[in-house]
Amino acid sequence: MLPIDAAAHSSRWRRRHPVDKAVLGLGLTVLAISLPPWPGAALILLTAVAVLLGPAGVPARQLWRAYRVPLGFCVTGAVTLLVQVGGPDGFVALADGGPVRAGELLLRTSAASLGVLLFAFTTPMSDLLPRLVKAGVPAPVVDVALVTYRMSFLLLDSVRRIREAQAARLGHTTRAAAWRSLAGLGATAFIRAFDRAARLQAGLAGRGYDGTLRVLVPDARISVRFVSVSVTLLAVLTVLTFALERPLS
């Protein structure tokens, strides 16, 4: 299980309905994209961090480990706005207004990423996917997503065990040995994936599979109070953004 999934299963908000957390987390994401980047995205970024480390109870180290990957993409995308290719100033030159646009993009994307992480750190996929059927998503699509989600972890676990076995047999001591181990890893993982898929199909057929996977979903109700507080927080952030709005320069 990935660290973010383990954190979601042990989250303080695990027992809350996914709609509660979607209103807050995805609401922050929508505001980060739609509101002016300054001070809107900055306020949303600070709010998301405060909620993640405070009420949601996400450890700071786990948050940083999960956040640094999307943050790297955010920084990479923002850096490209600092330069322009071609033009009278040379093949590569600083773009006019590049720092401002780069800062705005970095604020928007980093704040939006934290909003998504807020939802991901508090909502296990096993709680979310089965409820999508009631939201109108076709049952076969949800079944494929559930099986893919489960098989992904099994495949990652198989790859980890194979690598550990190869390392114990000195399979990574030289470059040639490492390449042989990598080829063996790919072949073994491919075979095991098909074997697990065949066993899963046989198991479902033996249990009378009729096209729908029936799973137990934890009982949870939408909290009117939680949703109301979340909507109020989003409204306050919107009002503060327009009240304090100034150009980023």
Side-chain angles (χ1 to χ4, degrees), residues 5 11 18 28 35 47 52 69 79 98 102 133 153 157 221 223 245 249:
D5 291 278
S11 171
L28 290 173
L35 290 179
T47 302
L52 280 163
V69 176
V79 167
V133 177
F153 287 113
D157 183 65
R221 294 184 178 181
S223 173
E245 182 180 5
S249 59

Side-chain angles (χ1 to χ4, degrees), residues 3 46 98 100 133 139 165 169 187 241:
L46 295 175
V100 175
V133 177
R169 292 169 175 80
T241 297

Side-chain angles (χ1 to χ4, degrees), residues 31-32 34-46 100 103-105 107-108 240-249:
L31 290 185
S34 57
L35 290 179
W38 181 262
L43 290 174
I44 293 166
L45 189 149
L46 295 175
V100 175
E104 291 176 347
L105 178 63
L107 281 175
R108 284 188 186 277
L240 281 177
T241 297
F242 288 109
L244 303 175
E245 182 180 5
R246 292 180 181 178
L248 184 62
S249 59

